[in-house]
Amino acid sequence: MMNNLQHKHDEEYNKFKSKFDQKLTTQFPLSIETEYYRIISNTDTEYKNVGLILSEYYVSIPKIDSIKSSIKKSIIGKYLSSDSCLLVVNRFDTYVTYQKSNRVIIDDSTLIDRECYEGKYPLPNFMDFYDEYKNSNVHLDNSYVIYVLDANSKNPFENYAMRPSPYMPAKWKNGYSKGIAISEKKKNVIYWSIIW
């Protein structure tokens, strides 16, 4: 039986999730399964990307195993957060530029298009969750495995049409990506869908 607090969590979660096309949310859970979680949702196309991110904390290992088993056949890309060459959407964003819509400073333009990006899929910049990992490519500690479940260099979502991103290589100026990042060590699961 669902308690009132759980019902409130699920109401909030489903409200955010309903703003996105179902094609983008199939990897998300039907309901919040932990007491500790965080949701970030952006539908403002004036910003550099639109997306939904759900991070669940203190997820049981059997639940993590179940998630990994359920996505096994859908994985198109698998990366470690510690990899030295990751294709990151809005790589140059910081917590300050994101929160205050400040101009992003490209501190190393060679990171926009590198040979090692060939054949890789775009990942989110997770700076909203773990700003303490500023030196990481994706702002996650080294314990995460990132699974890409779908990605395309075209944006088929008409209500989220955006200008081409100056921070991405030519092949990925626009597009979408979705997946799950898992840290068994921290027992954290992060579900994401992004459009840029």
Side-chain angles (χ1 to χ4, degrees), residues 13 36 45 55 59 70 92-94 98 132 137 178 181 183 189:
Y13 169 58
Y36 303 99
T45 58
S55 186
V59 178
S70 72
F92 304 103
D93 247 344
T94 65
Y98 182 80
E132 68 263 34
N137 284 316
K178 73 178 196 178
S183 170
V189 178

Side-chain angles (χ1 to χ4, degrees), residues 59-70:
V59 178
S60 71
I61 293 300
K63 179 61 184 175
I64 288 174
D65 289 342
S66 172
I67 293 166
K68 286 167 49 179
S69 177
S70 72

Side-chain angles (χ1 to χ4, degrees), residues 4 7 9 43 101 114 118 123 129 138 156 160 173 175 187:
N4 287 339
H7 182 71
H9 292 331
T43 55
S101 298
R114 298 171 65 193
E118 189 62 38
L123 307 174
F129 287 98
V138 288
Y160 296 123
K173 289 294 184 189
K187 297 183 179 176

